[in-house]
Amino acid sequence: DVKVTQSSRYLVKRTGEKVFLECVQDMDHENMFWYRQDPGLGLRLIYFSYDVKMKEKGDIPEGYSVSREKKERFSLILESASTNQTSMYLCASSLSPVKTSGRATIYNEQFFGPGTRLTVL
Amino acid sequence: TQLLEQSPQFLSIQEGENLTVYCNSSSVFSSLQWYRQEPGEGPVLLVTVVTGGEVKKLKRLTFQFGDARKDSSLHITAAQPGDTGLYLCVKRGNFGNEKLTFGTGTRLTIIP
């Protein structure tokens, strides 16, 4: 079974603190993702990574940075936490897409971790 | 980023009843997925539909992809308490890439 683990289930921090959220996957997946989930807004992509040391901005990268030093680990960093960053943070991983002989691309399932509920006071 | 609209936002029904939830967008999907998220867990993939008009069944769950590939529905027959959760429809970009767009979700509660 694919396992995606996140370092904390619940986290409470103060405004201005630096926050690290860690995600580890054990299936040698190339792709890793960080989302935040807020009521009525669905999941929104913050950053993703296709490979070690590679990162791409998602839809809402402002106020966040990421680090991928090892293939199995993808860290989300809040340099200076603010109250509007209170949210549920979900990490996911997937294998790279596969191009078929017919030029179609098969995208693989994203597997999610259990989430970290972050509260910034 | 355009969100996918899901309806209803909340649904609470008795065990054994049938229900349908909907996912709509103004743009065409290259493919559409349905995920279920149980309390305290991350979303888990249920199904992927690719072809307009496609219907897929997963036990008591029936997924349909609209002919124009702009909408989808999920029908549950004889709902069970284990069906309780947040149902999310998810689309991949038209040009095909790893980025997913998530719907707003339908929170389903099945009352025993």
Side-chain angles (χ1 to χ4, degrees):
Chain A
D1 274 354
V2 176
K3 196 156 185 194
V4 180
T5 56
Q6 295 183 226
S7 50
S8 305
R9 283 290 192 120
Y10 299 93
L11 209 51
V12 180
K13 296 290 181 181
R14 296 208 174 272
T15 301
E17 280 193 80
K18 190 168 185 175
V19 182
F20 292 88
L21 301 183
E22 303 285 340
C23 175
V24 177
Q25 49 92 9
D26 65 359
M27 286 302 292
D28 204 33
H29 284 173
E30 293 85 7
N31 302 326
M32 296 189 76
F33 308 82
W34 274 107
Y35 296 88
R36 63 177 282 176
Q37 183 175 25
D38 300 287
L41 295 177
L43 275 75
R44 293 178 292 167
L45 182 64
I46 303 171
Y47 267 97
F48 60 105
S49 170
Y50 288 141
D51 202 350
V52 175
K53 299 204 186 287
M54 243 223 56
K55 61 184 179 184
E56 294 275 346
K57 290 181 180 179
D59 299 314
I60 51 163
E62 296 78 20
Y64 303 94
S65 62
V66 290
S67 172
R68 184 121 182 248
E69 295 298 317
K70 292 185 178 181
K71 191 176 185 180
E72 67 270 19
R73 188 180 298 270
F74 192 34
S75 304
L76 180 70
I77 303 150
L78 287 67
E79 293 289 342
S80 177
S82 62
T83 55
N84 62 14
Q85 292 179 308
T86 290
S87 186
M88 170 70 86
Y89 289 87
L90 289 160
C91 174
S93 72
S94 71
L95 288 168
S96 287
V98 176
K99 286 209 181 292
T100 68
S101 57
R103 295 187 297 170
T105 300
I106 299 173
Y107 293 93
N108 291 292
E109 175 183 356
Q110 289 190 17
F111 292 88
F112 284 83
T116 296
R117 187 165 291 283
L118 172 67
T119 302
V120 183
L121 302 174
Chain B
T1 300
Q2 182 183 24
L3 286 177
L4 300 179
E5 294 295 327
Q6 290 187 242
S7 59
Q9 189 176 356
F10 299 95
L11 184 59
S12 183
I13 64 170
Q14 294 286 338
E15 181 177 356
E17 291 184 4
N18 301 333
L19 66 107
T20 303
V21 299
Y22 301 92
C23 174
N24 292 281
S25 173
S26 57
S27 59
V28 173
F29 310 147
S30 60
S31 65
L32 186 125
Q33 297 177 320
W34 284 92
Y35 283 75
R36 178 170 66 212
Q37 184 178 17
E38 297 183 11
E41 301 296 330
V44 175
L45 179 65
L46 296 174
V47 77
T48 301
V49 286
V50 178
T51 306
E54 185 176 0
V55 176
K56 282 192 174 178
K57 288 183 182 288
L58 187 66
K59 296 183 181 178
R60 293 174 294 99
L61 279 59
T62 302
F63 304 85
Q64 183 152 11
F65 200 13
D67 291 339
R69 290 163 49 219
K70 290 185 176 182
D71 58 271
S72 181
S73 63
L74 159 58
H75 181 79
I76 301 179
T77 303
Q80 303 293 312
D83 296 327
T84 291
L86 179 67
Y87 287 81
L88 297 161
C89 66
V90 184
K91 72 172 185 176
R92 197 174 295 283
N94 286 341
F95 298 102
N97 54 51
E98 289 288 350
K99 288 179 65 174
L100 304 178
T101 299
F102 284 78
T104 49
T106 292
R107 189 164 295 282
L108 175 64
T109 303
I110 308 301
I111 303 164

